[in-house]
Amino acid sequence: PASNNWSETKTDVLVVGGGPAGLAAARVAAAAGLDVLVLDERRKPGGQYFKQPAEGFRIDESRVDAQFAEGMRLLRAARAAGAKIVSNAAVWGAFGPDAIAAVTDGRTQLIRAQRLILATGAYERAVPVPGWTTPGVMTTGAAQTFLRAYQVAPGERILIAGNGPLNLQVAHELMRAGAKVVALVETAAAPFLSAPGAVMSMALTAPGLLGAGLRQTLGLRLRRVRMLYRHALVGVEGSDRVTRATVAAIDATGRAIEGTRKSFDVDSVCVNYGFLPQNELARALGCAFHFDPRTASFAAQRGDDGRSSLPGVFIVGDAGGMRGARVALAQGALAGAAAAADLGRGPTDITAWKQELRTHQRFQDALWQLFAAPALINQLADSGTLICRCEEVARGTIDDRLDRQARTFGTIKRTTRLGMGQCQGRYCSTLCADLLRDRTGGESSADDFFAPRAPAKPVAIAQLAGDAGAEPAAVDILRTVGRDANICLDPPARPTAP
């Protein structure tokens, strides 16, 4: 141990994130003979895609679906290869490629790794509309977690809205579990009919995945689930809980078309308009990213194996750009092989993984031709709609600051507290960027956004403080990192009085 209130751990490869990309990377690197440590913030590894049941829930493995079973096989393979997987691990600081701070088992530690693989995944993107903070409104992924991890539905009458195949999949899963899905609302045109060329490409590259989507669509139609295309959720009503949801047809700019509103009595609303990469650690390290205003998300500068612009650091899966679980699996395996080769444990035959990567990249390109839709960001928010949920900053407040010539993220943050909440701007920063872009006419770059700062995730002060009577663990770690980097973190001594 480095001190009595924190510890220092050394490993060949540190993988942050235990989803598809992280587990695939860990399996390959460990199989090559490397010492591999995986830190995952969830109670059980698997990530969003391979959700595992919560503690205390037993499942009949002979009856689980293919996605669930695949996740269990990958997890077992990673462990069998020798990877050490630590759950409930909060990685709160990235001070260098070989200086990652985390809290595991209630104690703070500094991990020194020769290679760092960031597989932090993504989080769901919601679109602000009046009433979207009402209890009972949640992301589609949260509803899937309720169902897969805890075996319960999020409500009795559920409306699902947004863009992309996850909404279709979860609607089908909820329906099979006995829940009532009153409507599936999709901003794209009807899939499988609007882009026949894309359907053909998907059939040639991954017919099994295409078949699953067709079966899900047919299943919903046979159960008479109402499916509304080129529509979006435009409002939610309710006080203690959502009671009513309103949807409307949208035009090519994503704005509601007058006279097309429809309302549904519901007790739960699930929304997913895609995902945003969880890239705070990579950006804190200085890895190169660019901001795509069309998707309102960051994309990392990286190779097929996830190798970033920073030596020794790989960004794999959705952490570096949204390409789906299949691409993440192949890219994670390539990163694990590259890390092994870097450390003298290769080369490994990567032909199959490269082919899988290419195949599923083509599939993703075709998939998003099917689900092409207007990019919704702030079009449906009125002046009273909250943009920053953590600090309760409404759109009208931001518009007022823009009217007063606020033209930077920093100015808006200082005058409204936008981005100062627990999520540290993960959700509201892209919404703010859109409002700024509309007002100034300029484009946003990655450097315009709030700078990632430690702690990257909420961590108890007691865990950062360490043992009573000792210097705080976080300060001790920072001092150690600063000393190694030849940086003085101590304040200059005050001059003594003559």
Side-chain angles (χ1 to χ4, degrees):
S3 74
N4 63 345
N5 63 341
W6 64 278
S7 61
E8 185 169 319
T9 300
K10 293 184 178 181
T11 186
D12 294 329
V13 177
L14 172 63
V15 180
V16 181
L23 291 176
R27 178 180 64 83
V28 173
L34 295 177
D35 183 17
V36 178
L37 173 64
V38 180
L39 298 182
D40 187 61
E41 65 181 358
R42 292 171 174 263
R43 293 184 178 181
K44 286 190 174 182
Q48 291 278 7
Y49 189 73
F50 292 135
K51 288 184 177 77
Q52 299 297 301
E55 297 293 341
F57 286 82
R58 292 187 177 183
I59 61 170
D60 182 351
E61 293 190 23
S62 66
R63 299 177 62 186
V64 300
D65 63 22
Q67 181 174 323
F68 198 105
E70 182 184 7
M72 297 179 72
R73 289 195 300 270
L74 178 59
L75 176 57
R76 288 169 179 161
R79 283 177 169 151
K84 180 182 179 182
I85 301 173
V86 179
S87 299
N88 289 321
V91 177
W92 59 265
F95 308 107
D98 64 341
I100 305 299
V103 171
T104 62
D105 296 324
R107 287 186 60 81
T108 299
Q109 62 175 311
L110 182 68
I111 299 97
R112 304 283 199 179
Q114 297 184 67
R115 290 295 180 271
L116 173 63
I117 299 177
L118 296 172
T120 46
Y123 49 94
E124 290 179 88
R125 190 171 72 84
V127 170
V129 299
W132 74 306
T133 59
T134 305
V137 180
M138 66 187 71
T139 63
T140 304
Q144 189 180 51
T145 298
F146 271 118
L147 188 63
R148 285 181 169 261
Y150 299 98
Q151 307 295 298
V152 296
E156 295 181 359
R157 291 181 57 83
I158 307 165
L159 181 138
I160 299 177
N163 176 230
L166 179 62
N167 292 321
L168 174 63
Q169 177 186 344
V170 175
H172 187 259
E173 291 178 358
L174 288 168
M175 180 201 68
R176 290 188 59 192
K180 174 66 174 177
V181 179
V182 299
L184 174 62
V185 183
E186 168 62 54
T187 56
F192 312 117
L193 298 176
S194 59
V199 174
M200 180 62 68
S201 177
M202 294 167 69
L204 293 173
T205 54
L209 293 178
L210 174 62
L214 289 169
R215 287 192 298 272
Q216 291 163 2
T217 302
L218 180 60
L220 292 174
R221 291 198 177 280
L222 290 175
R223 293 290 186 94
R224 299 181 181 276
V225 173
R226 193 167 182 182
M227 304 176 76
L228 299 172
Y229 297 105
R230 284 291 186 184
H231 280 66
L233 178 73
V234 297
V236 176
E237 300 172 39
S239 53
D240 294 336
R241 186 173 179 86
V242 57
T243 57
R244 197 166 181 80
T246 300
V247 305
I250 57 173
D251 62 21
T253 67
R255 288 171 171 78
I257 299 174
E258 290 299 324
T260 64
R261 292 181 177 246
K262 306 173 184 68
S263 294
F264 297 85
D265 293 328
V266 297
D267 60 6
S268 181
V269 174
C270 305
V271 292
N272 175 285
Y273 287 89
F275 295 84
L276 295 171
Q278 192 160 236
N279 52 35
E280 293 78 22
L281 296 176
R283 289 174 57 215
L285 288 171
C287 297
F289 282 84
H290 73 268
F291 181 73
D292 182 357
R294 185 185 61 82
T295 60
S297 65
F298 289 93
Q301 179 182 315
R302 58 178 176 172
D304 286 346
D305 58 6
R307 194 182 296 274
S308 76
S309 61
L310 198 63
V313 178
F314 299 80
I315 309 171
V316 295
D318 290 345
M322 305 310 305
R323 299 296 284 169
R326 296 292 155 189
V327 170
L329 285 165
Q331 191 170 58
L334 289 170
D342 286 355
L343 300 179
R345 298 302 178 96
T348 302
D349 185 1
I350 61 175
T351 305
W353 295 321
K354 277 199 166 187
Q355 181 58 47
E356 286 183 24
L357 182 72
R358 295 286 179 264
T359 295
H360 290 294
Q361 285 175 334
R362 289 196 298 271
F363 182 87
Q364 285 290 311
D365 291 339
L367 175 68
W368 288 106
Q369 288 181 45
L370 285 187
F371 285 96
L376 297 187
I377 305 178
N378 292 299
Q379 296 98 313
L380 304 175
D382 61 20
S383 62
T385 303
L386 294 183
I387 298 300
C388 176
R389 300 181 61 167
C390 297
E391 296 294 328
E392 298 185 339
V393 181
R395 175 171 181 167
T397 302
I398 301 172
D399 286 337
D400 174 72
R401 300 306 186 272
L402 292 170
D403 290 341
R404 300 185 187 191
Q405 302 304 309
R407 291 294 184 266
T408 67
F409 277 89
T411 302
I412 294 175
K413 179 178 182 178
R414 286 189 293 272
T415 58
T416 67
R417 292 190 58 83
L418 179 141
M420 292 188 181
Q422 182 167 307
C423 87
Q424 296 187 334
R426 287 179 176 85
Y427 294 94
C428 64
S429 61
T430 56
L431 302 176
C432 182
D434 180 66
L435 295 174
L436 272 169
R437 186 170 59 251
D438 283 349
R439 188 63 63 95
T440 64
E443 293 295 335
S444 300
S445 72
D447 294 335
D448 292 331
F449 285 76
F450 305 131
R453 301 179 186 278
K457 288 294 180 72
V459 180
I461 292 177
Q463 294 172 333
L464 298 183
D467 299 333
E471 184 170 53
V475 173
D476 209 358
I477 286 177
L478 290 171
R479 197 180 307 283
T480 300
V481 173
R483 183 181 64 243
D484 294 346
N486 198 27
I487 300 173
C488 179
L489 296 177
D490 290 314
R494 291 185 179 180
T496 58

